[in-house]
Amino acid sequence: MKKIGNTINQDDNFLVREDYHKNLIRKLEAELKKVSLGGGETAISKHKAKGKLTARERVELLIDNNSKFYELNSLAAYGMYEEYGGAPSSGTIFGIGKIHNRNCVIVANDATVKAGAWFPITAKKNLRAQEIALENRLPIIYLVDSAGVFLPLQDEIFPDKEHFGRIFRNNAIMSAKGIPQIAAIMGPCVAGGAYLPIMSDEALIVQGEGSVFLAGAHLVKAAIGEVIDNEKLGGARVQSNVSGVTDYLMKNDEECLLQIRSLIEKYGYSPAAGFNRIESKMPQFPINEILGILPEDTTKQYDTYELLARIVDNSEIDEYKAGYGKSLITAYARIDGWAVGIVANQRNLLKTETGEMQVGGVIYSDSADKAARFIMNCNQKKIPLLFLQDVTGFMVGSRAEHGGIIKDGAKMVNAVANSVVPKITIIIGNSYGAGNYAMCGKAYDPRFIFALPNAKIAVMGGNQAANVLMDIKLGQAKKGGKEFSETEKQKLLSEILNSYEKKNNPYYAAARLWIDEIINPIKIREHISISIETANCNQEIGVFQTGVIQT
């Protein structure tokens, strides 16, 4: 066991960094508050005038008193669909909450946003909710209140593999796997959307609010000439007492939510995965010092050990191959009592045993080889993996190529791809190129992936990308016989850089679900702990396949 960390000198540089990150946190909190209002105060007032609870009020009543709802993808659709008036949080709320002390996935349509209509990203968000339920064998509750597909964008939500129909396929798969699904019909439920609640294991419907049918009254009249209103066609009493489509007829939202709690309270328990946990110990150093350790500029260096010292229990680690492959830190530790295997990019300038200087945040051959072996060890010992990304990519150049960087990088990527223990990824700063892949980016199926407010996710850094694109544009212009002045070149470079920077920030990533949530750096421990607790619900851990990793 190795103690890490030092008392930080809170000098001017520390205070500048701290202020920078506090401002980022203030912006994050403001944006989260804004999207939490859904369609806005006026839409909320109209919704409540119907005697209905809002989506967030429903979730709050459903979960245990004094427990926390861990919302995910809250910034889905951020800055998207502006031509249609926007879709705050994609018109759907989802996350993990405790019901009778049991972790459940909860999905709630927000009818204050375009009557709960499904945008393309809404479907992707619902699929992510189902994925979390599947991977972790969690009960999933759908609080349905939706007008169905947003028709102007139907071509982007209807026919493909990861579109609307995949949700019903997942309903069937989860039922077959014994993962409980409950749906509460608390508003309209139309056409294809009617399958989601009815393909769940049990369905409740609220009288006077809920309705479910394949075609509404207007379409029925147009299609077959029958004249009927929606209530008589597929209202709560009809679907419960006449068709038998729904299982429980509820007087109002409150009774419906209490009934769901009563059903879940009687569920049996499956064996847990058995991840190691002991009594939690706080780090030896204040967690809020993270804000002064992380630089305000992601190109600057810092000591990752100081960051770890404010995350891991008692500021202690068992470091694997401490003197080898130093651009990656691989270590066993505990976070909130949970045993974890940590793979973290070291952002300090490093001196090797041969006196060579290595750039922090770059993965070298020896580091990649070390990480691959460490990941295998964690799989053998059934220890969840935590990836702390602040990576600019793999080392390039003749020396790296001659040393087999591609081969060693492939070993690491193979190990990450085949890992069967839960993987949790937090993007601390940079997440560029193949480094994103090797450090378990979204494409490598982390159980959960978070980013700090200063994170940058792109193929390469902004300056490098801007210069590459600039050279291409200048070359094209030269072929056409055009020359740029220095002023024009600088203006063009600035435009390219601004466009690139707009797309590599965490809000852009969160809007498109490349990450599950942007989180406050001070709450890193809390998010890691709930992630492992959630993963611990699933006892089905597969067998690690070594593939091409052997050397």
Side-chain angles (χ1 to χ4, degrees):
M1 193 69 75
K2 171 183 172 183
K3 288 278 187 183
I4 55 173
N6 295 287
T7 301
I8 295 289
N9 176 22
Q10 297 196 11
D11 56 13
D12 288 345
N13 286 333
F14 179 96
L15 297 175
V16 166
R17 294 191 290 267
E18 184 180 53
D19 283 346
Y20 174 78
H21 289 286
K22 282 182 176 178
N23 282 331
L24 291 182
I25 293 167
R26 278 191 283 269
K27 180 192 174 184
L28 174 63
E29 290 173 348
E31 295 299 337
L32 290 174
K33 184 177 180 181
K34 192 186 300 181
V35 300
S36 72
L37 293 174
E41 296 285 4
T42 302
I44 290 172
S45 296
K46 288 180 180 177
H47 181 84
K48 292 174 78 70
K50 300 173 186 176
K52 299 169 72 171
L53 298 173
T54 66
R56 292 183 185 280
E57 287 172 337
R58 288 167 177 168
V59 171
E60 193 64 29
L61 276 177
L62 183 59
I63 63 175
D64 295 345
N65 290 333
N66 302 316
S67 68
K68 184 169 182 178
F69 181 61
Y70 286 90
E71 188 173 351
L72 299 169
N73 296 157
S74 56
L75 290 163
Y78 181 86
M80 298 172 67
Y81 311 123
E82 296 298 328
E83 65 272 37
Y84 302 107
S89 214
S90 79
T92 300
I93 297 159
F94 107 82
I96 297 165
K98 288 189 184 296
I99 301 175
H100 290 291
N101 206 37
R102 181 195 296 268
N103 281 330
C104 299
V105 174
I106 302 168
V107 186
N109 297 121
D110 185 351
T112 70
V113 179
K114 301 287 190 298
W118 288 58
F119 287 78
I121 207 71
T122 314
K124 188 175 180 181
K125 183 171 176 176
N126 277 262
L127 288 170
R128 177 61 179 143
Q130 290 183 320
E131 181 180 43
I132 289 172
L134 270 164
E135 287 181 332
N136 302 291
R137 296 191 68 85
L138 298 181
I140 183 167
I141 298 101
Y142 309 97
L143 306 181
V144 185
D145 192 349
S146 171
V149 167
F150 187 67
L151 290 177
L153 297 173
Q154 63 84 26
D155 61 314
E156 297 178 37
I157 191 174
F158 169 64
D160 209 347
K161 181 179 178 181
E162 292 188 342
H163 284 178
F164 199 71
R166 187 76 171 184
I167 291 164
F168 316 140
R169 175 263 189 194
N170 287 350
N171 286 139
I173 295 294
M174 281 192 279
S175 287
K177 288 180 176 289
I179 299 169
Q181 299 174 86
I182 294 178
I185 302 167
M186 310 176 89
C189 192
V190 188
Y195 285 104
L196 185 150
I198 307 311
M199 290 192 71
S200 298
D201 303 306
E202 294 183 280
L204 304 86
I205 189 165
V206 178
Q207 194 166 345
E209 295 179 22
S211 58
V212 55
F213 33 66
L214 291 182
H218 291 295
L219 184 56
V220 167
K221 183 180 178 182
I224 64 172
E226 182 182 0
V227 178
I228 190 171
D229 63 39
N230 284 338
E231 189 63 29
K232 291 177 182 176
L233 179 66
R237 190 167 292 278
V238 168
Q239 295 291 26
S240 294
N241 300 342
V242 178
S243 69
V245 166
T246 54
D247 307 307
Y248 303 90
L249 179 61
M250 301 286 101
K251 289 186 296 186
N252 52 42
D253 283 5
E254 289 86 351
E255 183 183 67
C256 183
L257 297 167
L258 283 173
Q259 182 65 55
I260 295 171
R261 286 184 55 82
S262 182
L263 293 171
I264 289 174
E265 188 264 338
K266 297 171 181 65
Y267 285 179
Y269 285 89
S270 300
F275 300 128
N276 188 306
R277 192 182 197 186
I278 61 173
E279 184 181 351
S280 176
K281 293 180 181 178
M282 292 299 292
Q284 292 290 303
F285 304 94
I287 297 172
N288 59 10
E289 287 185 347
I290 290 172
L291 303 182
I293 290 169
L294 296 176
E296 72 282 13
D297 180 348
T298 58
T299 64
K300 292 182 179 178
Q301 305 290 311
Y302 63 92
D303 189 351
T304 303
Y305 287 104
E306 296 297 342
L307 173 66
L308 291 175
R310 287 147 184 86
I311 295 174
V312 302
D313 287 12
N314 211 32
S315 301
E316 292 178 332
I317 61 174
D318 293 307
E319 189 167 8
Y320 175 78
K321 291 185 180 290
Y324 178 74
K326 291 184 177 182
S327 73
L328 276 177
I329 298 169
T330 49
Y332 305 105
R334 290 190 182 275
I335 295 176
D336 196 26
W338 292 105
V340 294
I342 298 172
V343 181
N345 300 109
Q346 171 58 295
R347 284 304 311 269
N348 251 348
L349 286 170
L350 306 161
K351 183 179 277 190
T352 66
E353 295 296 324
T354 60
E356 176 194 0
M357 293 301 296
Q358 293 187 343
V359 179
V362 176
I363 302 175
Y364 292 79
S365 281
D366 53 359
S367 304
D369 177 68
K370 176 174 78 170
R373 294 171 186 274
F374 180 72
I375 290 165
M376 285 192 285
N377 288 347
C378 289
N379 275 268
Q380 183 188 54
K381 298 167 185 175
K382 208 161 76 169
I383 299 174
L385 282 158
L386 171 64
F387 292 85
L388 297 177
Q389 282 198 17
D390 196 344
V391 58
T392 53
F394 285 91
M395 191 59 190
V396 297
S398 60
R399 184 168 182 175
E401 297 293 354
H402 298 169
I405 185 67
I406 296 175
K407 176 190 69 177
D408 291 317
K411 290 180 200 173
M412 183 176 175
V413 169
N414 188 289
V416 173
N418 283 296
S419 178
V420 294
V421 294
K423 298 168 289 193
I424 299 149
T425 301
I426 300 179
I427 303 171
I428 302 294
N430 302 308
S431 180
Y432 293 154
N436 170 282
Y437 303 156
M439 292 294 291
C440 198
K442 186 66 182 286
Y444 288 78
D445 296 324
R447 291 288 179 96
F448 298 95
I449 179 167
F450 306 107
L452 301 191
N454 63 310
K456 293 182 182 294
I457 306 164
V459 171
M460 62 181 74
N463 288 327
Q464 296 95 318
N467 279 294
V468 169
L469 291 169
M470 176 77 165
D471 288 344
I472 293 170
K473 282 185 177 290
L474 291 177
Q476 290 171 339
K478 193 172 183 179
K479 285 180 181 178
K482 183 178 178 181
E483 293 287 342
F484 286 90
S485 68
E486 284 303 315
T487 303
E488 288 174 326
K489 287 179 183 178
Q490 287 304 313
K491 183 182 177 184
L492 181 59
L493 184 63
S494 179
E495 288 173 354
I496 294 170
L497 185 59
N498 288 339
S499 174
Y500 195 84
E501 291 290 338
K502 182 182 176 182
K503 295 180 180 179
N504 72 5
N505 74 76
Y507 289 90
Y508 192 89
R512 290 154 182 79
L513 311 194
W514 302 346
I515 56 176
D516 288 319
E517 197 73 0
I518 304 173
I519 63 172
N520 184 333
I522 295 170
K523 296 182 179 179
I524 286 177
R525 276 174 56 89
E526 183 181 344
H527 282 83
I528 294 168
S529 181
I530 188 64
S531 297
I532 300 176
E533 180 188 317
T534 300
N536 196 44
C537 296
N538 186 359
Q539 80 279 22
E540 294 182 0
I541 301 296
V543 178
F544 183 74
Q545 302 293 328
T546 56
V548 299
I549 296 173
Q550 295 99 330
T551 56

